[in-house]
């Protein structure tokens, strides 16, 4: 049974305002919305048992309500429409029988040997061909021993999408805004963030940076455009770590003996988000825009703020109202624990917070196993869980369905992106950088085989996330692959050598390109 949860206040409002409308509209019983029920809506007798609190099951095969009833003390169910993808057998979509077997065997064996968990969804021509899930939502205890009692992952489990957020929160928003004529990619950043974006810049002598004076820095930042940021050639360092008070700012590395000149707090609240926006304005550029390509989270933190300013909504609200709700996608969200999901609905990530098994420590750092909270430090501490560069959670099926929009720019009769905008965003940004589009990663001259395999064509595009996630879109073969793992839900491999490498990364299942590599051998 598909179950969707909302908080108690939202549940009460939904019950009072829309229950009758939903029932009268003829919504099918096979799609159930389960809302958490407050005490005032549960009739209990004097001994605390439920008096007549009914929850319906999925219903009969023809969509009617069965007579089976489940008594529940803390939930109430309502009928709403949830959009379901059209499903076809792999053979009907041009895949040979059994072509998924080898993928399943590899993942299952890796999990038996210590890998974490995975979800896979594959679409072709807008139809769902395959979906599956393996493993448990949490694979290890904090001391590194295996957790064999954690709930099993299902196809509805949410994964921390990490940098896939950049594509689905920011790129999708910008593509829609450009299609509608509401924004220009050649607009300057300071038109949205104000003159403070370049006037407030501070001096930092980056170890690997261009050596220029403060006036040159101001000129560079004043001329910076949205397009520069989308191409990751805006000049920002990869990771300023605004939330860590102890960073060698010149070397851009944590150092307990140094004070971070760009520290903006780590309260994971609105005050810290505002301070972080100010820190973004103070951040000097590492290099002259357009002279290098440096993948930086800062680019999408800024773009996310611009989207919010143009739309007048936070990224979560805009994404849901513009894309997710019209498409009936219920399993993509920021801050899932605040949106009706529980920890066990989410695949866990790092075992000991953001400490890399104790290597990193500062006041305010999380030390517990992260589950339902975004792993990315800047997304959580600096932006409160909602940022343009990270923060989204989702399941593979909804992620694949959302990505499928990139093939034709529309869902049913709803147009999101024009063909011209899709071409602009996914074309190679230059002959020199065929593996980059505007934000999107491209196969190019076989430059992304670790993610897309060796059989996908040069125009294949997508993105990956640091937690172990991949979206791949092949416009030539009209194939979409969403492969999600939580590979960092393992101990660190060697804390002294590199605390950013986890044991989970050593498995075949952690290298996402193995999925399309095998899958494409099964094409008719």
């Amino acid at each position: 049974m598909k179950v969707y949860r909302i908080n108690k206040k939202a549940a009460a409002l939904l019950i009072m305002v829309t229950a009758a409308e939903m029932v009268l509209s003829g919504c099918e019983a096979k799609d159930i919305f389960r809302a958490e029920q407050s005490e005032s809506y549960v009739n209990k007798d004097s001994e605390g048992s439920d008096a007549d609190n009914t929850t319906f099951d999925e219903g009969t095969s023809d969509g009617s309500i069965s007579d089976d009833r489940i008594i529940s003390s803390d939930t109430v169910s309502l009928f709403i429409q949830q959009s379901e993808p059209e499903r076809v057998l792999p053979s009907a979509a041009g895949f040979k029988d059994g072509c998924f077997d080898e993928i399943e065997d590899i993942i299952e064996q890796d999990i038996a040997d210590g890998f974490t968990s995975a979800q896979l969804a594959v679409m072709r021509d807008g139809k769902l061909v395959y979906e599956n899930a393996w493993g448990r939502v949490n694979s290890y205890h904090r001391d590194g021993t295996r957790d064999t009692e954690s709930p099993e992952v299902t196809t509805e489990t949410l994964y921390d999408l990490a940098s896939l957020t950049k594509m689905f929160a920011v790129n999708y928003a910008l593509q829609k805004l450009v299609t509608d004529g509401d924004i220009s990619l050649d607009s300057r950043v300071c038109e949205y963030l104000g003159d403070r974006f370049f006037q407030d810049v501070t001096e930092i002598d980056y170890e690997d940076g261009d050596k220029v004076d403060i006036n040159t820095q101001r000129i560079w930042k004043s001329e910076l455009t949205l397009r520069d940021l989308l191409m990751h050639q805006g000049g920002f360092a990869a990771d300023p770590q605004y939330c860590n008070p102890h960073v060698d700012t010149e070397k851009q590395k944590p150092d307990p003996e140094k004070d971070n000149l760009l520290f903006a707090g780590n309260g994971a609240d609105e005050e810290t988000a505002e301070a972080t926006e100010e820190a973004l304005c103070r951040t000097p550029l590492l290099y002259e825009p357009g002279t290098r390509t440096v993948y930086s989270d800062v680019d999408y933190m800024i773009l996310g703020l611009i989207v919010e300013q143009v739309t007048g909504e936070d990224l979560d609200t805009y994404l849901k109202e513009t894309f997710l709700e019209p498409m009936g996608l219920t399993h993509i969200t920021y801050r899932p624990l605040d949106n009706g999901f529980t920890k066990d609905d989410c695949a866990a990530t790092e075992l000991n917070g953001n400490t890399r098994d104790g290597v990193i420590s500062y006041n305010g750092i999380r030390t517990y196993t992260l589950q339902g909270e975004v792993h990315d430090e800047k997304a959580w501490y600096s932006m409160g869980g909602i940022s343009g560069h990270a923060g989204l959670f989702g399941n593979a099926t909804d992620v694949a369905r959302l990505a499928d929009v990139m093939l034709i720019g529309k869902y049913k009769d709803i147009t999101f992106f024009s063909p011209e905008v899709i071409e602009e965003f996914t074309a190679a940004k230059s002959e020199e950088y065929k593996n980059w589009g505007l934000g999107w990663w491209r196969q190019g001259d076989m430059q992304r085989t670790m993610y897309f395999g060796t059989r996908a064509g040069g125009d294949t595009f997508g993105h990956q996330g640091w937690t172990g996630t991949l979206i791949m879109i092949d416009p030539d073969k009209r194939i979409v692959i969403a492969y999600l793992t939580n590979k960092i839900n393992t101990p660190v491999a060697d804390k002294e050598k590199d605390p950013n490498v986890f044991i989970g990364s050593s498995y075949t299942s952690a290298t996402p390109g193995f999925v399309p590599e095998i899958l494409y051998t099964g094409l008719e």
Side-chain angles (χ1 to χ4, degrees):
M1 178 171 63
K2 295 185 181 297
V3 175
Y4 308 104
R5 302 179 180 88
I6 58 177
N7 60 42
K8 291 180 179 179
K9 289 183 180 179
L13 181 62
L14 184 62
I15 292 166
M16 291 187 292
V17 177
T18 65
E21 180 181 348
M22 286 188 291
V23 171
L24 291 173
S25 67
C27 296
E28 295 182 356
K30 63 183 179 180
D31 295 318
I32 303 297
F33 187 106
R34 176 172 289 176
E36 291 187 12
Q37 173 76 314
S38 62
E39 284 291 315
S40 61
Y41 285 92
V42 179
N43 298 318
K44 295 178 178 290
D45 61 22
S46 58
E47 296 182 3
S49 61
D50 297 321
D52 186 22
N53 184 31
T54 305
T55 298
F56 295 104
D57 67 2
E58 286 188 294
T60 58
S61 59
D62 64 356
S64 60
I65 302 172
S66 71
D67 290 331
D68 297 329
R69 308 213 172 214
I70 304 170
I71 303 301
S72 171
S73 63
D74 61 351
T75 61
V76 63
S77 294
L78 301 174
F79 309 126
I80 66 167
Q81 287 281 31
Q82 182 219 2
S83 172
E84 286 288 336
E86 183 178 352
R87 301 168 187 264
V88 296
L89 293 173
S91 57
F95 293 95
K96 296 177 183 177
D97 291 338
C99 73
F100 289 94
D101 292 350
E102 186 175 353
I103 296 172
E104 294 173 355
D105 290 344
I106 289 172
I107 296 174
E108 289 169 2
Q109 186 59 58
D110 278 353
I111 289 175
D113 292 339
F115 189 62
T116 53
S117 72
Q119 273 183 351
L120 175 62
V122 178
M123 298 185 70
R124 192 172 197 190
D125 292 319
K127 301 177 178 64
L128 184 64
V129 175
Y130 180 88
E131 64 175 350
N132 208 343
W134 304 264
R136 298 181 180 277
V137 297
N138 187 45
S139 299
Y140 290 84
H141 298 290
R142 291 181 60 198
D143 63 4
T145 58
R146 290 297 298 269
D147 184 346
T148 59
E149 297 182 356
S150 179
E152 292 184 351
V153 167
T154 72
T155 56
E156 296 191 358
T157 299
L158 302 187
Y159 281 76
D160 183 338
L161 300 181
S163 285
L164 299 195
T165 302
K166 294 180 172 74
M167 299 301 99
F168 296 126
V170 171
N171 264 44
Y172 266 40
L174 290 175
Q175 290 169 191
K176 182 71 165 66
L177 293 171
V178 172
T179 295
D180 294 346
D182 293 329
I183 201 169
S184 169
L185 299 184
D186 296 313
S187 298
R188 293 179 300 149
V189 173
C190 62
E191 294 176 31
Y192 302 96
L193 299 188
D195 288 353
R196 62 178 179 145
F197 180 67
F198 60 89
Q199 292 288 7
D200 293 352
V201 66
T202 190
E203 288 191 79
I204 294 176
D205 186 17
Y206 291 122
E207 185 175 73
D208 298 324
D210 294 350
K211 308 302 180 182
V212 298
D213 59 34
I214 195 70
N215 288 329
T216 301
Q217 282 280 354
R218 290 190 177 118
I219 292 172
W220 284 354
K221 290 192 74 176
S222 72
E223 297 175 346
L224 205 60
T225 68
L226 278 62
R227 192 181 300 274
D228 291 327
L229 300 182
L230 282 167
M231 292 192 290
H232 289 296
Q233 59 181 40
F236 287 102
D239 183 16
Q241 300 183 43
Y242 299 110
C243 57
N244 187 341
H246 301 295
V247 172
D248 185 327
T249 320
E250 295 181 357
K251 294 182 179 180
Q252 291 292 290
K253 293 181 179 179
D255 186 337
E257 304 300 320
K258 299 282 187 177
D259 290 330
N260 184 358
L261 299 180
L262 296 174
F263 179 62
N266 49 33
D269 53 23
E270 185 175 348
E271 181 180 355
T272 304
E274 291 174 356
T276 300
E277 184 172 346
E278 295 174 0
L280 290 167
C281 295
R282 291 190 289 111
T283 303
L285 301 184
L286 178 73
Y287 59 92
E288 182 180 2
T291 62
R292 306 188 203 177
T293 296
V294 176
Y295 181 79
S296 174
D297 286 340
V298 176
D299 298 334
Y300 272 78
M301 293 175 74
I302 294 171
L303 289 169
L305 293 172
I306 292 173
V307 168
E308 291 185 336
Q309 185 176 127
V310 172
T311 63
E313 298 178 311
D314 65 61
L315 290 173
D316 191 31
T317 301
Y318 180 77
L319 178 64
K320 286 175 178 173
E321 290 182 351
T322 307
F323 299 101
L324 304 183
E325 291 173 4
M327 294 182 66
L329 304 181
T330 58
H331 279 62
I332 299 177
T333 186
Y334 283 98
R335 297 183 63 97
L337 302 184
D338 291 338
N339 284 279
F341 295 92
T342 68
K343 285 187 176 182
D344 284 342
D345 293 325
C346 306
T349 53
E350 193 170 346
L351 301 176
N352 291 286
N354 296 115
T355 70
R356 305 303 191 270
D357 287 354
V359 174
I360 300 174
S361 177
Y362 53 81
N363 288 336
I365 195 170
R366 294 173 293 181
T367 59
Y368 49 85
T369 298
L370 303 182
Q371 195 169 1
E373 294 179 2
V374 59
H375 175 271
D376 184 272
E377 291 89 343
K378 293 187 297 298
W380 179 257
Y381 302 109
S382 302
M383 304 300 288
I386 300 177
S387 183
H389 76 288
L392 276 180
F393 286 70
N395 71 334
T397 301
D398 275 12
V399 168
R401 294 180 64 198
L402 185 58
D404 191 65
V405 169
M406 288 300 295
L407 292 177
I408 60 173
K410 63 193 313 185
Y411 172 75
K412 295 184 177 179
D413 60 347
I414 305 172
T415 297
F416 294 121
F417 318 129
S418 69
E420 294 78 14
V421 167
I422 292 176
E423 172 63 22
E424 180 179 13
F425 272 78
T426 60
K429 75 174 186 178
S430 69
E431 283 296 314
E432 184 181 1
Y433 292 101
K434 292 183 179 179
N435 59 328
W436 290 98
L438 295 183
W440 293 101
W441 290 15
R442 303 181 77 257
Q443 178 78 297
D445 293 329
M446 294 295 111
Q447 294 158 286
R448 302 284 189 187
T449 55
M450 179 180 292
Y451 308 103
F452 305 150
T454 63
R455 293 175 167 84
D459 289 331
T460 298
F461 61 95
H463 214 281
Q464 67 92 33
W466 198 74
T467 51
T469 58
L470 171 77
I471 187 65
M472 172 184 144
I473 303 162
D474 184 340
D476 296 329
K477 292 184 170 59
R478 307 168 311 284
I479 292 173
V480 174
I481 298 173
Y483 178 60
L484 311 180
T485 79
N486 57 337
K487 67 179 183 179
I488 64 172
N489 181 230
T490 61
V492 171
D494 188 333
K495 292 190 290 185
E496 301 300 324
K497 184 178 181 180
D498 189 345
N500 288 315
V501 177
F502 295 79
I503 290 173
S505 298
S506 64
Y507 295 86
T508 299
S509 297
T511 304
F514 95 93
V515 173
E517 187 71 17
I518 294 173
L519 185 61
Y520 275 47
T521 64
L523 287 174
E524 296 285 1

